[in-house]
Amino acid sequence: MAQPPIHHNPPRPTATMLPSTKTALLTLTTLLLGSTTSQTIYTGDTLQGYPIISSLDITDVPSNTISRFWLSPAEGQGGLPYFLPIFVARGSEESAHSGKRLSLSASIHGDELNPVAVVQKIFARLNETGRFPGNSSGRQHDEVSAGGFNGTIIGLPTQNPQGNLLNQRNFFTSSSNGFFTNLNRVFPGVTIEEGGGLPDAYAAAIWNDVWGNTTNVDVAVDFHTLSTGSLGPLWCYADYRLDGVQRLAELLEADMIKIDPGEPGSIETTWVEAGVPAITVEIGPGNIWNATLINRTVDYAFRLMEDLQMFGDSSGQVVPDLSETYIVTNFSGTAVSYSGWAEVDVGVLEDVEEGQVIGRVYNSWGDKLEDLSAAVSGRVLDVLVDPAVEAGTGVVTIGYNATASD
């Protein structure tokens, strides 16, 4: 498979069949462990005025209300606990069973900041609709009598606040002088009792104690960005082999959709292996807030809610506008052969032809070391904007359809 986007390492696999064995095991585990999350368990403590819980069950949180909780998925060195903020927007009493259960998770990587704003704004907008009369700050509009809200949404505005604090993509553990772990490669996690390390247990707490080992969730969207130093559009990974995933991807009205078999240990693939439709949404560059892409993604969330019939007055199935969406099956990465300074000529979403010169590399004297050429014809997904490069660094990713006639 061609080199993946700049921010993904190792590459996503090229398998063509769903891992049915893993799906069966996860399903069995759900049946065996689902009863462990039989109620929302409150620790009795609060943080910033909101209750701390050790497990979540959406069926017993307040109905017609947007609730806020904290959950501690693990403790770091010296017993210092980490805390995750959790929104739960629950509709009518019966909607926990009659409506869809949607998970919206963000910032599993600490430099992915657009997703934080996306989840925050989704719940602020939900509150403003007046569909949750249990929230005194919500505006009481006629929409309440028009149907209220049918379903439940779990929102995690950041899954890696430690990474946000450190301005670091990965999760830090301090033993043996320190290690960094990509949390999006260890799901569904392993508890300490089962032999897992701290990052594994951290992931297991999110999977089991927030999402209830799938019992709290029917549909999932995990929000990401590129790594810091790269520019990109609004796009997504989607494993079309599972029913419902294509619909999730198309409703995004993305600049690009990558039909993709998934990455073991990622949140998206763990959901898919458990039979839950899910996609990874990539919201532009890391470490900044891009208002345009944030607002487009918030709009997507509300199209998705409408399509899932979560609004009591939903008018029917949403028809997404795919006129500007470029759908690909493969990525081709252009990497530098020399350390030096890279100059890139092409921009995000620009169409390129095979063999086209798209940049060059200079040494410290300004002498050209090499030209960089596109290996395929396609559309630019992302470009590296940090000019200081080392040999082997990817600077441009091109999306293309390997089955296209051209």
Side-chain angles (χ1 to χ4, degrees):
M1 182 176 179
Q3 183 173 333
I6 295 163
H7 69 302
H8 279 279
N9 185 29
R12 295 168 76 104
T14 57
T16 57
M17 295 182 64
L18 277 172
S20 57
T21 301
K22 286 187 177 180
T23 301
L25 288 173
L26 278 170
T27 302
L28 177 60
T29 302
T30 299
L31 293 173
L32 292 175
L33 297 182
S35 61
T36 63
T37 310
S38 58
Q39 62 179 350
T40 299
I41 300 176
Y42 295 80
T43 67
D45 297 319
T46 62
L47 179 63
Q48 297 178 347
Y50 299 109
I52 299 173
I53 61 174
S54 58
S55 70
L56 173 68
D57 181 353
I58 62 169
T59 64
D60 66 7
V61 300
S63 58
N64 298 310
T65 302
I66 299 175
S67 301
R68 297 180 179 185
F69 303 103
W70 294 97
L71 182 137
S72 177
E75 294 181 346
Q77 189 179 57
L80 183 67
Y82 304 110
F83 288 101
L84 300 183
I86 304 169
F87 289 106
V88 180
R90 183 183 174 189
S92 61
E93 185 73 27
E94 64 275 7
S95 71
H97 303 287
S98 64
K100 291 294 185 180
R101 299 164 294 177
L102 173 63
S103 171
L104 301 173
S105 54
S107 196
I108 194 67
H109 297 128
D111 64 343
E112 297 178 341
L113 304 187
N114 281 330
V116 177
V118 165
V119 174
Q120 291 172 343
K121 289 178 182 294
I122 288 169
F123 282 85
R125 186 162 151 187
L126 278 172
N127 193 44
E128 290 173 355
T129 65
R131 293 178 185 270
F132 297 90
N135 290 83
S136 58
S137 60
R139 299 176 186 172
Q140 302 303 304
H141 291 176
D142 290 339
E143 292 173 294
V144 175
S145 59
F149 194 77
N150 180 38
T152 305
I153 304 177
I154 299 173
L156 291 166
T158 174
Q159 299 172 95
N160 187 2
Q162 182 220 56
N164 302 144
L165 174 67
L166 296 176
N167 193 25
Q168 162 59 238
R169 185 172 184 81
N170 296 316
F171 182 84
F172 179 74
T173 50
S174 58
S175 61
S176 302
N177 295 321
F179 292 96
F180 285 102
T181 300
N182 182 351
L183 288 175
N184 204 37
R185 294 295 181 270
V186 299
F187 277 82
V190 181
T191 66
I192 297 295
E193 294 75 15
E194 295 170 327
L198 181 60
D200 307 293
Y202 189 101
I206 297 175
W207 182 257
N208 294 313
D209 299 329
V210 179
W211 293 326
N213 194 21
T214 76
T215 61
N216 283 334
V217 179
D218 297 318
V219 179
V221 180
D222 194 35
F223 296 119
H224 291 251
T225 71
L226 297 168
S227 295
T228 301
S230 297
L231 292 179
L234 178 63
W235 61 286
C236 69
Y237 285 113
D239 188 344
Y240 278 17
R241 297 171 298 174
L242 181 65
D243 289 345
V245 170
Q246 181 174 347
R247 182 67 180 167
L248 289 180
E250 291 179 349
L251 286 167
L252 179 60
E253 298 181 357
D255 299 308
M256 189 177 293
I257 296 174
K258 170 63 163 64
I259 302 174
D260 191 86
E263 179 69 41
S266 69
I267 293 171
E268 172 208 342
T269 298
T270 304
W271 283 123
V272 169
E273 289 175 347
V276 174
I279 61 172
T280 295
V281 173
E282 302 276 356
I283 313 168
N287 229 14
I288 65 170
W289 274 3
N290 181 301
T292 299
L293 297 182
I294 288 169
N295 290 335
R296 285 180 63 188
T297 310
V298 172
D299 288 343
Y300 160 65
F302 280 80
R303 280 195 301 275
L304 177 56
M305 293 177 216
E306 180 79 19
D307 199 65
L308 295 173
Q309 305 291 300
M310 300 184 86
F311 298 121
D313 54 346
S314 294
S315 58
Q317 191 175 57
V318 177
V319 179
D321 180 3
L322 300 179
S323 60
E324 301 297 324
T325 300
Y326 193 73
I327 302 175
V328 304
T329 58
N330 289 72
F331 284 143
S332 173
T334 301
V336 301
S337 300
Y338 300 93
S339 297
W341 305 88
E343 179 180 59
V344 178
D345 298 334
V346 294
V348 173
L349 299 179
E350 185 174 332
D351 290 334
V352 296
E353 298 295 327
E354 181 180 352
Q356 176 182 336
V357 175
I358 58 176
R360 59 208 55 83
V361 180
Y362 300 100
N363 63 17
S364 293
W365 301 105
D367 303 321
K368 186 172 71 173
L369 299 176
E370 65 175 333
D371 284 321
L372 303 172
S373 300
V376 298
S377 297
R379 185 166 295 179
V380 174
L381 174 70
D382 55 32
V383 297
L384 188 70
V385 294
D386 184 350
V389 294
E390 297 172 334
T393 300
V395 294
V396 175
T397 302
I398 300 168
Y400 68 101
N401 188 346
T403 62
S405 58
D406 58 357

